Amino acid sequence: MSPLPVALSLTVCEKVIVEERTRNITLVSTFTKLVVDHFPTPPQRFSAFAVLTDVSGRGTIGLAVTSLETNVEIYSRRLSVNFQDRLAEVPILFRVLECAFPKPGRYQVSLSLDGEWLAHRSLVLAEKEA
């Protein structure tokens, strides 16, 4: 899709609440670090929320989680989208239900449209101290 949209935000959080009547959005417990009991982790649950604008047409939005140490993608998901109004701010929500982290370190949560990079966030995984 050309031109690419502008990503106004990309946030990783515990969960996203969408108010039914108004469609207002609440991001709950945003984070850039997860402390876990052990590695590899059991499947982790979190949400990734973005707002895109300045685009029209159809495309495929992708979310990927990649180890910055090994450059190995440990999670990915794709959604089909239709941007109808170029001037609209379009919320994009990924509910990540099963993302297991193999070891401590830095990971990158990336958002793309039709394979083209839009935004990313860094995420640090650490083991809880005894």
Side-chain angles (χ1 to χ4, degrees), residues 82-121:
N82 183 19
F83 300 100
Q84 296 181 7
D85 178 355
R86 184 176 162 267
L87 301 177
E89 292 184 3
V90 180
I92 304 293
L93 172 59
F94 283 92
R95 287 192 167 97
V96 178
L97 302 177
E98 294 200 9
C99 180
F101 294 89
K103 60 184 181 175
R106 290 189 158 287
Y107 292 82
Q108 182 169 279
V109 179
S110 301
L111 189 69
S112 63
L113 177 64
D114 296 334
E116 297 289 330
W117 176 86
L118 295 176
H120 69 270
R121 293 302 298 255

Side-chain angles (χ1 to χ4, degrees), residues 12-16 27-31 45-48 96:
V12 179
C13 57
E14 183 182 308
K15 65 181 173 178
V16 175
L27 305 180
V28 178
S29 298
T30 65
F31 60 87
R45 302 179 88 146
F46 56 91
S47 293
V96 178

Side-chain angles (χ1 to χ4, degrees), residues 28-42:
V28 178
S29 298
T30 65
F31 60 87
T32 57
K33 182 176 184 177
L34 278 177
V35 178
V36 297
D37 291 331
H38 59 84
F39 288 92
T41 69

Side-chain angles (χ1 to χ4, degrees), residues 63-76 78 99-110 121 123 125:
L63 182 79
V65 179
T66 305
S67 166
L68 289 175
E69 183 180 312
T70 63
N71 205 31
V72 172
E73 189 175 277
I74 62 164
Y75 178 88
S76 69
R78 311 269 183 270
C99 180
F101 294 89
K103 60 184 181 175
R106 290 189 158 287
Y107 292 82
Q108 182 169 279
V109 179
S110 301
R121 293 302 298 255
L123 187 59
L125 270 284

